Amino acid sequence: MTTQIINGLAVEIDGEGDALLCIHGLGGSSNNWTPVLAALSGFKVIRPDLPGSARSSLLQHPLSIERYVAALDQLLAGLGVESVHVMAHSLGTIVAQHFAVRHPDKVKSLALFGPLVAPPEAARPNITARATLARSGPVAMQEIADAIVKGATSKETKEQQPAVLALVRESVMRQSPEGYAQSCEALATAQSAAIEQIDVPTLLVTGDQDGVAPPANVAAMAARIAGSRQVVLDGCGHWTTFEKPQRCMQELEQFHASLALIS
């Protein structure tokens, strides 16, 4: 494994093979993918921290979906990577969809966890309010982290996996207040990509208790992406790879095996 800073982005790179770009979600980092790395052998796994998240610097201009896409495009160019498979979570799935539509020649497949095309209109004011709260500082970040643990993990995770609750909490609390605030604002203003244009194998994985990406909403996404496949994990909330790593690895291995058959 190597860790590099490229254009202000902290990025971890593991393995050899076809490039696989991993895009975490709001309050996440490259470690969103650590639990499923064992299923990614045979790939050159590229795991950046998005601008303003975890170890990566903020950009000179306010964050947006378009600027995330541009930053990832620059990252791949800096690494000399011309095309990638893409794996993403939550906010990262919105970025991935826009990237795939903007650069169809650069994306070979999409595996999206807790996917959404954009926030519901009713949720946007709450996300903006969270940005304002985050700017209050570390104490506010702890308050936000506790609320996310409560609202975005499943009943089973709360009862049986205390270490996962701690991991989610730590992931959010480790974000810089301004970086997290700008990430919230990028999410609050996100709009749907023209996902009907996506023409690569696509896997959509969500939890049966995921309030951010409810199964019905993901089914509506699947209907818009030709040939996509939806999987719903039992006893799982929104932090899919943390709450159900073994199931996620099984789905990824099956998905990647199907790609090998196609190629």
Side-chain angles (χ1 to χ4, degrees):
M1 180 184 72
T2 62
T3 301
Q4 303 178 41
I5 303 295
I6 300 176
N7 298 327
L9 295 189
V11 55
E12 296 183 68
I13 302 174
D14 306 82
E16 299 292 337
D18 284 353
L20 172 62
L21 175 65
C22 301
I23 312 172
H24 65 76
L26 178 64
S29 73
S30 61
N31 279 316
N32 275 76
W33 311 108
T34 303
V36 299
L37 280 178
L40 306 179
S41 61
F43 289 97
K44 179 179 182 178
V45 182
I46 303 168
R47 295 183 292 152
D49 293 340
L50 288 173
S53 291
R55 299 164 298 165
S56 290
S57 303
L58 273 166
L59 303 175
Q60 292 183 335
H61 303 284
L63 294 176
S64 66
I65 300 302
E66 292 73 20
R67 290 196 171 110
Y68 283 136
V69 169
L72 292 174
D73 193 33
Q74 291 171 8
L75 169 65
L76 295 178
L79 293 171
V81 173
E82 296 182 352
S83 62
V84 291
H85 299 275
V86 177
M87 186 164 68
H89 175 245
S90 192
L91 166 64
T93 71
I94 301 176
V95 178
Q97 292 161 62
H98 280 266
F99 191 94
V101 171
R102 178 82 54 89
H103 302 291
D105 56 322
K106 297 182 180 181
V107 176
K108 297 179 179 179
S109 72
L110 294 168
L112 307 181
F113 294 83
L116 66 163
V117 295
E121 290 303 318
R124 295 182 191 273
N126 292 335
I127 301 170
T128 301
R130 198 193 314 171
T132 301
L133 178 60
R135 289 192 171 99
S136 301
V139 174
M141 291 301 299
Q142 179 178 328
E143 180 182 337
I144 290 168
D146 288 337
I148 289 172
V149 166
K150 181 178 180 180
T153 59
S154 72
K155 175 177 178 288
E156 289 83 352
T157 296
K158 292 182 181 72
E159 292 175 348
Q160 302 167 18
Q161 300 194 81
V164 170
L165 305 183
L167 181 56
V168 172
R169 189 171 187 265
E170 184 70 8
S171 182
V172 176
M173 286 175 62
R174 284 285 178 175
Q175 306 295 324
S176 76
E178 180 61 25
Y180 187 82
Q182 288 196 28
S183 300
C184 287
E185 288 164 347
L187 176 59
T189 57
Q191 301 296 325
S192 174
I195 60 175
E196 292 83 1
Q197 298 177 18
I198 293 174
D199 188 27
V200 295
T202 301
L203 173 67
L204 305 172
V205 181
T206 195
D208 62 344
Q209 297 172 48
D210 189 335
V212 178
N217 292 15
V218 178
M221 280 185 67
R224 294 176 60 190
I225 303 175
S228 60
R229 184 170 73 89
Q230 179 186 7
V231 175
V232 180
L233 306 183
D234 294 336
C236 185
H238 186 57
W239 290 78
T240 333
T241 58
F242 288 169
E243 296 185 67
K244 292 289 183 179
Q246 296 296 331
R247 280 297 316 279
C248 290
M249 286 195 289
Q250 291 171 8
E251 295 300 335
L252 283 169
E253 287 169 346
Q254 180 178 342
F255 180 61
H256 293 147
S258 71
L259 298 181
L261 291 174
I262 293 172
S263 61

